[in-house]
Amino acid sequence: MTTHKIALLGGDGIGQEVTPEARKVLEVVGRATGASFEFEAALIGGAAIDATGEPLPASTLRLCEQSDAILFGAVGGPKWDALPQEQKPERGLLGLRKELDLFANLRPAKCFPMLLDASPLKREVVEGTDIMVIRELTGGLYFGEPRGREEFADGGARAVNTMAYTSREVERVARAAFDVAMKRKKRLASVDKANVLVVSQLWREVVTRVGKDYPQVALEHVLVDNCAMALVHKPTHFDTIVTENTFGDILSDEAAILAGSMGMLPSASIGGRVGLYEPVHGTAPDIAGQGVANPIAAILSAAMLLRYSLSLGADADRIDSAVIRVLEQGHRTRDVHAAGTTLVGTKEMGDLISAEVEKSYS
Ligand code: NAD
């Protein structure tokens, strides 16, 4: 029997509260299927700074490199806000992404039928929305050279950033996106600004070429301005979207808000040998320690881990369905609580979902 080694990095704040619930659900899958999960916890972020002086201790990085996947919580909090940029808890996560070469960020935006009224869009517009945005994470405008600022003698200034991509960088994220599209509805929208930007023309050329290797996937090219409009006008048009770093940063947040609450949004960073799975939300210092955080984003991140790192898509489906059933039964954490629903805490929500996952195997 294969043992899947999972590094457990809860981090800070509610990261420490929601990650154990995700682990609980994976353990249910393990017991039901005979798959063997071996969890090992390590420090990252503020907790690691307090214990070792560093946001990403060498031992944590080593554990991650030797694992099959990483289940991550969140890092940061007011306690460490005054530290210099280089020593902040967030450096731990950025360091991990860089060291593990996690160049593709996957962010699903799925509207749960029973939470449609939490969406800022009209019910009939968002109903049925199920999008996966794949954002290139290590290139483009945020990293391109030259970058910097010069001051002029007359008191003015000039600043520059560069949106640069090599064909290799585009090709690898395009392949990751086509692979994801193959596990979904086999429709991929590549988003660029090829009518204006040379870098986007290269992007489009390479994505088109990679697409020849995936004849089953219907590929379309969409200009970023059109995509921004279409996401709020007709979000159900999209299945899988791939785009460069900056466009992806903006569009994935736009898509995310369609789904309603922060506590419901999982994510994955893949590309290197080891994938990292984490809720989109942060450490929520305003509610940390109260046992009220919504663990669904973390639990859905664990489902993504099964699907994308361990190729256990059918078990991931069971988790996704169990979440829907528990919501259908009317259970809600405080962030999505509404009249007529039953308020539950973090652990209780984890238990309810675990029980539904277990039932799905019997
Ligand atoms: P946040 O996501 O932590 O919180 C924003 C709001 O959403 C808060 O009101 C919070 O209570 C609520 N919320 C978030 N997750 C929730 C959940 N699971 N259940 C219920 N409510 C939830 O964002 P923020 O307040 O801007 O940041 C707080 C800290 O988290 C900062 O230190 C920030 O740097 C850090 N952060 C870390 C990550 C990460 O580790 N990937 C991401 C974002 C923010």
Side-chain angles (χ1 to χ4, degrees):
M1 185 173 57
T2 326
T3 296
H4 306 293
K5 186 164 177 178
I6 297 172
L8 213 55
L9 311 187
D12 308 313
I14 63 165
Q16 289 288 353
E17 299 171 46
V18 294
T19 315
E21 302 310 311
R23 171 189 179 155
K24 203 191 275 176
V25 173
L26 287 180
E27 280 173 339
V28 170
V29 172
R31 278 199 301 275
T33 61
S36 160
F37 297 111
E38 183 187 311
F39 296 94
E40 190 171 337
L43 292 171
I44 188 143
I49 293 172
D50 289 351
T52 71
E54 295 191 40
L56 176 58
S59 55
T60 299
L61 178 58
R62 209 166 37 245
L63 169 71
C64 292
E65 284 169 341
Q66 292 165 356
S67 297
D68 296 308
I70 303 160
L71 197 55
F72 190 94
V75 289
K79 183 176 176 192
W80 306 279
D81 275 352
L83 288 174
Q85 202 60 29
E86 283 308 304
Q87 293 163 27
K88 284 199 170 165
E90 288 76 0
R91 299 307 299 183
L93 179 57
L94 295 175
L96 254 189
R97 285 186 177 149
K98 183 165 173 288
E99 292 295 332
L100 299 175
D101 206 11
L102 300 171
F103 58 79
N105 187 227
L106 274 54
R107 288 203 24 197
K110 184 171 174 167
C111 288
F112 292 94
M114 64 301 294
L115 295 180
L116 281 179
D117 293 328
S119 171
L121 296 190
K122 285 191 213 115
R123 170 179 274 270
E124 58 270 27
V125 176
V126 281
E127 197 155 24
T129 297
D130 182 358
I131 305 172
M132 178 71 79
V133 181
I134 295 152
R135 165 189 173 193
E136 201 288 331
L137 204 57
T138 55
L141 201 52
Y142 297 167
F143 298 94
E145 299 284 347
R147 54 165 47 221
R149 174 179 166 136
E150 56 181 316
E151 308 297 327
F152 297 146
D154 66 1
R158 177 176 181 272
V160 63
N161 287 97
T162 304
M163 188 187 279
Y165 273 102
T166 63
S167 48
R168 184 184 159 270
E169 286 172 317
V170 181
E171 175 162 351
R172 63 184 190 172
V173 73
R175 282 200 189 281
F178 277 105
D179 288 340
V180 170
M182 285 293 289
K183 293 185 177 176
R184 295 175 49 90
K185 296 204 190 93
K186 300 189 173 63
R187 287 194 283 121
L188 180 64
S190 172
V191 176
D192 61 35
K193 189 69 185 168
N195 54 342
V196 180
L197 301 176
V198 183
V199 61
S200 281
Q201 288 158 11
L202 175 69
W203 177 280
R204 191 175 281 211
E205 185 185 307
V206 175
V207 172
T208 305
R209 174 156 46 79
V210 173
K212 303 256 189 291
D213 294 340
Y214 296 84
Q216 308 95 316
V217 177
L219 170 67
E220 65 168 340
H221 299 281
V222 185
L223 293 173
V224 62
D225 40 341
N226 282 343
C227 183
M229 265 194 301
L231 274 175
V232 288
H233 180 61
K234 202 173 184 316
T236 49
H237 169 77
F238 296 104
D239 176 52
T240 308
I241 293 176
V242 63
T243 190
E244 66 86 44
N245 204 340
T246 310
F247 298 161
D249 191 1
I250 299 164
L251 294 177
S252 60
D253 271 6
E254 187 190 351
I257 197 71
L258 303 176
S261 165
M262 283 292 267
M264 308 285 297
L265 298 168
S267 80
S269 298
I270 59 170
R273 198 192 63 77
V274 188
L276 182 146
Y277 299 83
E278 58 171 328
V280 166
H281 62 71
T283 55
D286 54 335
I287 57 165
Q290 298 174 28
V292 298
N294 188 344
I296 291 181
I299 290 170
L300 293 175
S301 300
M304 291 184 82
L305 181 155
L306 294 180
R307 191 182 311 280
Y308 294 110
S309 276
L310 307 183
S311 289
L312 296 173
D315 301 295
D317 287 345
R318 287 177 194 269
I319 296 178
D320 291 349
S321 307
V323 167
I324 290 176
R325 278 199 301 282
V326 169
L327 291 171
E328 273 170 358
Q329 290 156 12
H331 302 290
R332 302 280 192 280
T333 43
R334 203 167 71 181
D335 53 318
V336 283
H337 185 230
T341 61
T342 313
L343 185 63
V344 297
T346 309
K347 273 192 175 347
E348 211 176 341
M349 182 56 96
D351 288 341
L352 287 162
I353 295 169
S354 299
E356 279 299 326
V357 172
E358 196 162 355
K359 249 195 256 169
S360 78
Y361 288 98
S362 57

